[in-house]
Amino acid sequence: QVQLVESGGGSVEAGGSLRLSCAASESTYMMGWFRQAPGKEREGVAYTYPGQGVTYYTDSVLDRSTVSQDNAKNTVYLQVNNLKPEDSGMYYCAASKYDGGSYPPSRGDFPDWGQGTQVTVSS
């Protein structure tokens, strides 16, 4: 099981930026960022394949986000710019050591999850 630790969440005003980090205990085939607002389902934000340098952004953050990685540290980063109040929620990092067989991957393709980091965007 891959251990994941997220960090970088916090409170920010609308229009601001945040950079979230996810440190994995070992190398992975793919990693994902998800978020969940109170009373809503967990939704995918971005998915990345560290060994291939491929990243998929969902419509929720398309053109506002950048995923980067430090393979030596098994760490991926999610930067979200021009934050909106609807971006608020708990952000989770997820990982899989294997190809789930679908692109983009779905939530069920990720067996390992971090504890999450809270993002609050005020208007």
Side-chain angles (χ1 to χ4, degrees):
Q1 183 178 7
V2 180
Q3 307 297 318
L4 301 166
V5 178
E6 302 100 331
S7 61
S11 297
V12 64
E13 292 186 352
S17 300
L18 277 177
R19 188 189 191 212
L20 308 181
S21 301
C22 175
S25 58
E26 57 187 287
S27 61
T28 62
Y29 179 78
M30 61 182 184
M31 298 183 73
W33 284 101
F34 294 78
R35 67 186 182 191
Q36 187 168 20
K40 295 188 177 181
E41 291 190 3
R42 194 171 298 187
E43 63 173 356
V45 176
Y47 315 106
T48 190
Y49 300 78
Q52 303 171 46
V54 173
T55 300
Y56 178 94
Y57 299 94
T58 66
D59 289 344
S60 61
V61 297
L62 188 62
D63 297 328
R64 297 191 292 129
S65 294
T66 302
V67 171
S68 57
Q69 61 197 51
D70 185 336
N71 288 343
K73 297 180 179 179
N74 293 324
T75 299
V76 296
Y77 307 92
L78 171 69
Q79 170 139 358
V80 184
N81 303 316
N82 190 23
L83 283 160
K84 307 173 184 179
E86 52 264 41
D87 291 319
S88 297
M90 187 70 78
Y91 280 67
Y92 297 92
C93 176
S96 176
K97 296 173 66 175
Y98 308 102
D99 184 356
S102 60
Y103 183 82
S106 62
R107 177 178 170 181
D109 292 328
F110 295 93
D112 303 312
W113 292 79
Q115 295 300 307
T117 184
Q118 180 68 39
V119 171
T120 303
V121 183
S122 58
S123 58

